[in-house]
Amino acid sequence: MDFTRRRLRRLNDQIFEYIEESCPEEDVEKAWKVMQSLYYDLYMLRAIREAKEAVQPGDTMLYEEALRVYRSL
C-alpha cells in the first residue's frame, strides 16, 4: 500500500508540474473532461464515508416512523 501511495503522489507531482509548465490549454480541458467523473466519484465517496461515520444509532428512522412523521405534518 505504501508503494502505491508513493507512486500516486509522485505521479500527482509530475502531472501538476506538466500542467503548470507546458501543457496547452486545450489539453487541460480535454484532461478535465476525462477526469471529471472520477473527481466527482471520489468527492461522493468521501461524503458517504463521512456520513456513515457521523450517523449514530437512533439518528435514522424506520420506514414506518418516517411515514408517521410525514403524515403528522
Side-chain angles (χ1 to χ4, degrees):
M1 189 64 133
D2 290 334
F3 175 73
T4 306
R5 284 185 196 277
R6 286 193 306 265
R7 296 281 315 260
L8 282 171
R9 286 182 181 153
R10 185 168 181 251
L11 180 61
N12 187 28
D13 293 342
Q14 290 173 346
I15 290 171
F16 181 77
E17 289 173 13
Y18 174 71
I19 289 172
E20 290 298 316
E21 294 173 4
S22 61
C23 189
E25 189 65 31
E26 300 85 34
D27 289 347
V28 172
E29 291 175 14
K30 288 178 187 176
W32 174 246
K33 287 179 183 178
V34 170
M35 296 192 62
Q36 187 174 17
S37 62
L38 176 63
Y39 175 79
Y40 292 144
D41 288 346
L42 291 173
Y43 182 81
M44 287 305 299
L45 286 172
R46 184 179 303 135
I48 290 168
R49 186 181 329 122
E50 289 174 3
K52 283 183 178 180
E53 292 172 357
V55 174
Q56 300 295 319
D59 286 349
T60 59
M61 291 186 275
L62 298 175
Y63 179 75
E64 292 81 17
E65 293 172 325
L67 283 176
R68 274 184 275 161
V69 169
Y70 176 73
R71 290 178 182 152
S72 69
L73 295 178

